[in-house]
């Protein structure tokens, strides 16, 4: 297996910065007031097209800082497409076209002066299938630090990230062994450690537990709760019970790429405003 070479794998790390969204370019924000006090991410009328097919329809949503926001809905409703808008991963899809505005720390990430690579260093991503690189456990976690030419104590940062991913005690005596030798759940926690090692501001997770067994899934859920104390987490999940357990806010996407409702998770699951959302939550369709 060759070295990772695509931005989709090689840029899921992030660098710390004094203020959210700084150093991706200048600054200008939306004119209207935010729906959430000081949101870290604001989506305003985001639409996505794959060729002539529209995948998202004018999504407007404010994401709060250092909380867990879950995106739920049936397959093909645009959840993952929206997630990829946040760090411009859709740029890597030739047929994709994005319209609207998406602000990260007050800066529209789709402005011409924004560097997508710099953006992805601040907004890490963990994918559905664990994707450790064909490297040692240590080198997997240190990958983003090496890309950034980090001049601090790499080993200390690796240890900190592995502890943050609740993996240190399991691998501390085998850091030179291949990350590919770990179990599926361990591999996914290794990928989370790799994403948080450079200290991002936001961590995106695209169904991070869907390929794992119940025990590993529980470990990932506990980990998400822990890391949300330091990072903003946005998670796509098909598992409504998982969303109810771990998230503070929930957005419900339904067929046609429409965001039907976005609110506190408890309200979404106990007293939604829209009948379509209640029907989906109660299993009448989807």
């Amino acid at each position: 297996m060759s070295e990772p070479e695509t931005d989709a794998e090689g840029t899921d790390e992030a660098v710390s910065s004094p203020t959210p969204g700084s150093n991706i370019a200048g600054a200008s924000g939306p004119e209207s007031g935010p729906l959430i006090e000081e949101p870290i991410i604001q989506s305003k009328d985001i639409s996505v097209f794959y060729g002539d097919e529209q995948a998202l329809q004018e999504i407007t949503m404010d994401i709060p800082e250092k909380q867990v926001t879950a995106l739920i809905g049936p397959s093909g409703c645009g959840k993952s497409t929206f997630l990829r808008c946040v760090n411009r991963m859709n740029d890597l899809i030739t047929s994709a076209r994005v319209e609207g505005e998406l602000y990260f720390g007050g800066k529209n990430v789709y402005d011409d002066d924004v560097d997508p690579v710099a953006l992805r260093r601040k907004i890490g991503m963990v994918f559905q299938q664990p994707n450790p690189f064909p490297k040692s456990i240590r080198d997997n976690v240190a990958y983003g630090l090496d890309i950034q030419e980090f001049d601090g104590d790499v080993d200390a940062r690796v240890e900190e990230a592995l502890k943050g991913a609740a993996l240190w005690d399991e691998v501390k005596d085998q850091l030179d062994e291949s990350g590919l030798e770990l179990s599926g759940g361990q591999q996914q926690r290794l990928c989370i450690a790799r994403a948080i090692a450079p200290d991002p501001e936001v961590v995106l997770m695209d169904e991070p537990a869907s390929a794992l067994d119940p025990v590993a899934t529980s470990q990932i859920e506990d980990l998400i709760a822990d890391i949300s104390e330091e990072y903003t987490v946005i998670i796509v999940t098909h598992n409504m019970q998982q969303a109810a357990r771990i998230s503070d806010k929930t957005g419900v996407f339904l067929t046609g790429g429409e965001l039907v409702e976005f609110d506190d998770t408890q309200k979404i699951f106990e007293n939604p405003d829209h009948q379509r959302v209640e029907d989906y939550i109660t299993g009448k369709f989807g």
Side-chain angles (χ1 to χ4, degrees), residues 5 36 47 57 68 89 155 162 167 180 190-191 213 270:
E5 58 186 19
I36 293 173
S47 295
Q57 297 190 39
V68 179
M89 291 292 290
D155 288 333
L162 286 168
L167 190 58
L180 299 174
L190 177 64
C191 292
D213 61 49
E270 295 182 2

Side-chain angles (χ1 to χ4, degrees), residues 16-246:
S16 61
S17 62
T19 57
S22 64
N23 298 328
I24 60 172
S28 62
E31 295 179 0
S32 60
L35 300 177
I36 293 173
E37 185 177 352
E38 298 182 1
I40 189 171
I41 292 169
Q42 294 175 275
S43 167
K44 294 181 66 65
D45 297 326
I46 285 286
S47 295
V48 177
F49 300 82
Y50 296 118
D52 294 330
E53 181 179 352
Q54 186 167 3
L56 283 181
Q57 297 190 39
E58 299 182 345
I59 305 301
T60 295
M61 176 168 45
D62 287 0
I63 305 294
E65 187 174 13
K66 293 185 179 179
Q67 293 187 28
V68 179
T69 296
L71 308 180
I72 64 173
S75 297
C77 66
K79 307 182 300 294
S80 294
T81 294
F82 178 81
L83 198 72
R84 292 194 299 266
C85 286
V86 177
N87 66 349
R88 291 184 53 170
M89 291 292 290
N90 286 316
D91 289 12
L92 306 175
I93 302 174
T94 304
S95 64
R97 183 176 86 257
V98 179
E99 297 179 355
E101 301 170 330
L102 196 147
Y103 294 88
F104 169 45
K107 174 64 181 175
N108 183 5
V109 304
Y110 285 94
D111 282 349
D112 291 339
D113 60 348
V114 171
D115 178 0
V117 175
L119 175 69
R120 293 176 197 135
R121 289 172 180 166
K122 296 178 180 298
I123 304 178
M125 190 160 190
V126 177
F127 298 91
Q128 181 175 1
Q129 293 289 339
N131 63 338
F133 301 150
K135 298 171 176 286
S136 70
I137 293 170
R138 178 198 178 278
D139 289 347
N140 261 277
V141 180
Y143 183 81
L145 302 174
D146 292 341
I147 293 294
Q148 296 173 178
E149 299 182 351
F150 176 70
D151 60 2
D153 188 335
V154 172
D155 288 333
R157 185 66 70 87
V158 166
E159 178 178 344
E160 180 182 358
L162 286 168
K163 286 180 176 177
L167 190 58
W168 173 253
D169 289 341
E170 298 171 41
V171 303
K172 61 184 178 181
D173 297 323
Q174 56 192 82
L175 296 179
D176 293 330
E177 297 181 15
S178 173
L180 299 174
E181 299 299 319
L182 298 174
S183 69
Q186 288 175 322
Q187 286 187 14
Q188 193 65 299
R189 282 182 283 149
L190 177 64
C191 292
I192 293 172
R194 186 178 69 202
I196 66 176
D199 195 22
E201 296 171 27
V202 178
V203 178
L204 309 177
M205 296 186 172
D206 193 355
E207 299 189 58
S210 64
L212 305 179
D213 61 49
V215 172
T217 295
S218 178
Q219 291 174 326
I220 294 295
E221 290 182 3
D222 290 342
L223 176 56
I224 290 170
D226 290 340
I227 67 174
S228 67
E229 295 180 5
E230 302 209 16
Y231 309 106
T232 300
V233 178
I234 308 175
I235 178 173
V236 165
T237 178
H238 274 105
N239 188 326
M240 285 188 285
Q241 291 75 24
Q242 182 177 78
R245 285 193 298 266
I246 68 173

